[in-house]
Amino acid sequence: MSSETGDNKEVPKADCPLCLDLMNDSDVRHPLQCSNSCGFNFCVSCCESLISSSKDDYGEASDGNMHVKVYLNCPNCRSDLSASIRDTVLLRKAAHIKHCSGVSDEELSASELRMRNVIDDAEVQSAIAEARRREADFFGGELYQNVQDDGDHATDGDAAAADISYDEYGVEADLVRGVHQSMRWPKQPDSGIVKPPHEIDLSLLFGLEIAMTPAEQELVVDLMTSGEVSQVAKAARILHGVQLNVFGKAGTAVSKDVATEKMMERSNAARSSVFALIDEAKHIREKTESAKKQARNAGLVAQNLASPPLSGAHARTTTSYRAAEISIRQNMQRLKRFPLPVRMPKFVELELPDHRSLPFGLIDDIWDGYLIDAFVKISVSFGGSVHKKQPKHKGVYRILNMDADDDSFNNPRIDVDKPRVLVSSVRSEAGRQGVVKGDIITHINGEEFRGTKADFKQTIRSAVARNDGNTLELILNAERSVVEAVKRRAAIMD
C-alpha cells in the first residue's frame, strides 16, 4: 500500500501489525528506534496505548497470577524502547499536525486541536528539535535513504550524511538543501511593550485548570470570551479533551474528594499529551543516564530501565492544596458578583445504534432574542411544558448593562425570534456526560444547528447515513445569548 507525498512520490505504507489499522505517513517516516534493528513498527495509537499501559501497576493474568506487568519493550525482539518511544510519538504527532494545516478546527479531534494550539510553544519546538537530532543520530543515513522526505529528513545519499543544525530562532536547516520553509518557526519580533500580568478567569474552566498549562488556560478563556459562537464551540471541544485526559471516558462516578485528588495527582501528566510526552521522555533519559553512571561506578549492569516514570504525586506539598483552596475561594467571590450564565457550553460524544435511538428527549422552543435568556433557568415538566424563571441576581443586570456598578433593570434585545431545540428528558449515557434538562442543542458534528425538533431529527438521520460509524458529537448551549453574556461579563470584570 502507498500514499502520495507533496513531491508526488510514493511512500510505502502498511497495516499496523497490532491493531490492523492503516499506518499514517508519519508512522512510516518516524519508525521505532529499535536497538536490535528488527524493523518492527506499529502505529502512533498503539505506541500511546503501550506507554499508557506501562504506567499501570501489576495486573492479574488469566490464571490469577498477579505478576503481569507491561514494559516499553519491542513486541517483536523485546529490545528496550523506553528511552526513545516518546520521541517517536512526539515527532509523529508534529508531522501529522503539519500535514493537517489545511484542515479546519471543527474537523480535528480534541487531541489534535490541543496539539495544533501548542505546536508553536517554545518548549514544544525545542523538544521536537532535540527529538529529531536524537532520531538522526540513531538511524544515521539509513532513515534518509529508505524514507521519502516529509520536511524533516533528506533523501539524497549526500544529504543523508549531512548534519542537521538549528539556529537560535528554532529553524531547522539542512546543510545541503537549506532551510525547509514548512519547518520555519521564526522568533516573534520584540515590540518593546511589556504586557501587564493577565489574570485568567478560572471560573470559565470548570475546575479543569489544574490539568492545563497557563497557555492553554489563557487560550480557552480567550475563546470563551471572544463573542463568537464558533470560537466558544471550539473552547468547549478543547475542555472536553482535557476532561478525557484526566478522567477518561465519561461514565465512572467518583466522589468530589476523589475527583479532586485524582486531578491533583495527574495534573502534570494530563496538562497536555504533548507536554506529558516531553516531561516523561526527559525523565527517562535522566533516569537512564543516572543508572548507567551508577553501573559504571559500581561495576554493575543497570537493570529494569523500562520502569514507568514517577507520577510526581509524592512531590506535592500542602502548599499546593492551600493555593488551590485560595483560588477556589476567590473564584466563588467573583461568581457571586459576576454570575455565569445558567447554561454554559459543553461538548458531548454519544454512540447511536441508529437515528431513532437518541439518549435524550427533545422539545421545540423559541428564543425571543433578548440577552437575559442566558440567565433564565429553563425547566421541562413531565407533561412537556416549558417553564422559564427570570433571574433576580443584581450581578446579572451589571453584566447586561456592561457596568460593574449599575445593577438597574435592563434587558437588551440582540436578535430576532428564532426556533431552537431543548433537551426535555435525559437517559443514562447522555446523563453521564453532563446533559441535563433545559440544555440547548447548538452544534451537530461540528456544524452550527438552528431549527426545530423535526429539523434536528432529519439532520441526525442524514449524519448517520453519511457516517460509517454511529458517533454523534454535540455542542450544547453555545448560543448567541450565552456567548454575548460571557463576553460582556469579561469586559466589566477587566
Side-chain angles (χ1 to χ4, degrees), residues 186-314:
K187 189 176 182 180
Q188 295 296 322
D190 187 2
S191 63
I193 300 175
V194 179
K195 293 184 177 180
H198 175 64
E199 183 179 359
I200 298 175
D201 182 8
L202 300 182
S203 62
L204 296 175
L205 303 178
F206 311 113
L208 295 172
E209 63 274 2
I210 198 171
M212 303 168 69
T213 65
E216 288 176 326
Q217 294 175 13
E218 187 170 359
L219 170 67
V220 171
V221 170
D222 287 345
L223 293 174
M224 278 285 193
T225 58
S226 64
E228 299 291 335
V229 170
S230 60
Q231 298 295 83
V232 173
K234 180 179 176 181
R237 180 185 289 271
I238 293 175
L239 287 173
H240 176 72
V242 175
Q243 185 177 8
L244 289 181
N245 247 353
V246 177
F247 296 111
K249 186 174 177 60
T252 304
V254 294
S255 68
K256 182 177 180 181
D257 291 341
V258 171
T260 302
E261 181 71 19
K262 188 173 183 180
M263 287 189 68
M264 292 292 289
E265 290 181 354
R266 299 185 59 182
S267 61
N268 282 342
R271 60 191 182 122
S272 168
S273 59
V274 182
F275 289 103
L277 281 172
I278 295 171
D279 291 344
E280 290 174 6
K282 181 179 179 181
H283 175 87
I284 286 294
R285 287 194 299 273
E286 292 174 349
K287 183 177 179 181
T288 302
E289 290 302 319
S290 176
K292 287 181 178 179
K293 183 177 179 180
Q294 292 177 9
R296 286 194 299 267
N297 293 339
L300 301 174
V301 178
Q303 298 178 353
N304 197 23
L305 298 182
S307 57
L310 297 175
S311 66
H314 299 294

